[in-house]
Amino acid sequence: MNLVERVKAILLAPKSEWMVIDKEPGDPQYLFANYVAILAAIPAVCGFLGMAIFGRSIGAALAGAVISYVLAFVGVYVMALINDALAPVFGGRKDQPSALKLAVYSMTPAWLVGVFSLIPALGVLKILGLYALYLFWLGAPVLMKTPEDKSVVYTAAVVVCGIVVWLVLGLLIGLVIGAGAMAWM
């Protein structure tokens, strides 16, 4: 898989690209090393530069970048678990490799819009990352074999679970960072 070609295809021709992806192995090491590691670096690096240039301390910017980067891996993995667990509820199949591919590749636009973190005033353009929801919806019937008529509800259920997971992670990180900040006072 050529990274640039995959990104272009998943963004511009997602219906046919999901068919190609369905035939590929869902090797976690490969997906994390050759896709997540590269694309998740975009919002982390751009966020670091944007925060460092526009008034945050280098330490705070670096901490934010590292946390953002690590959470991209954790988030994709947790979303794959959720995808896999919920698929049978909506008439789909349990298939962890396909669940991981769906989580990884549907996140493409969300990572790409991280480039807008370079200039905080452009942050509103990150809303374009919501295209990831559309990609997920298109990919669910192909990879998880959810019936087309249930893919909207499946997508919504996964999104709600994902929001809950991110809220919990955010709370935990806030507690850790807050406790860490209190220790230095």
Side-chain angles (χ1 to χ4, degrees):
M1 170 198 65
N2 176 303
L3 178 71
V4 173
E5 291 302 316
R6 173 54 49 88
V7 168
K8 194 164 72 172
I10 198 69
L11 293 176
L12 302 177
K15 285 185 181 185
S16 60
E17 193 62 15
W18 282 123
M19 299 295 191
V20 172
I21 291 167
D22 187 38
K23 295 176 182 135
E24 297 173 352
D27 178 48
Q29 292 81 12
Y30 181 84
L31 290 170
F32 281 112
N34 295 295
Y35 204 82
V36 177
I38 297 165
L39 291 183
I42 294 170
V45 170
C46 292
F48 167 74
L49 292 172
M51 285 192 289
I53 292 169
F54 292 101
R56 291 276 170 93
S57 72
I58 298 293
L62 183 59
V66 169
I67 290 169
S68 166
Y69 191 65
V70 169
L71 283 182
F73 288 85
V74 172
V76 164
Y77 182 74
V78 169
M79 291 311 297
L81 294 174
I82 293 169
N83 296 346
D84 195 41
L86 289 181
V89 174
F90 296 95
R93 67 176 175 162
K94 283 187 76 64
D95 181 351
Q96 187 59 40
S98 290
L100 182 60
K101 290 187 292 185
L102 183 59
V104 167
Y105 293 123
S106 65
M107 282 297 295
T108 301
W111 289 321
L112 292 177
V113 299
V115 74
F116 296 123
S117 297
L118 280 170
I119 302 171
L122 296 179
V124 70
L125 294 175
K126 290 181 192 176
I127 195 163
L128 297 172
L130 290 176
Y131 185 60
L133 300 176
Y134 174 72
L135 292 180
F136 185 95
W137 171 71
L138 285 179
V142 178
L143 272 65
M144 301 310 295
K145 309 302 183 209
T146 55
E148 299 239 356
D149 63 325
K150 293 184 179 180
S151 64
V152 170
V153 180
Y154 172 63
T155 300
V158 169
V159 168
V160 168
C161 290
I163 289 169
V164 170
V165 167
W166 282 110
L167 289 174
V168 169
L169 284 174
L171 178 64
L172 292 173
I173 290 167
L175 291 172
V176 169
I177 290 174
M182 296 296 280
W184 290 101
M185 295 182 117

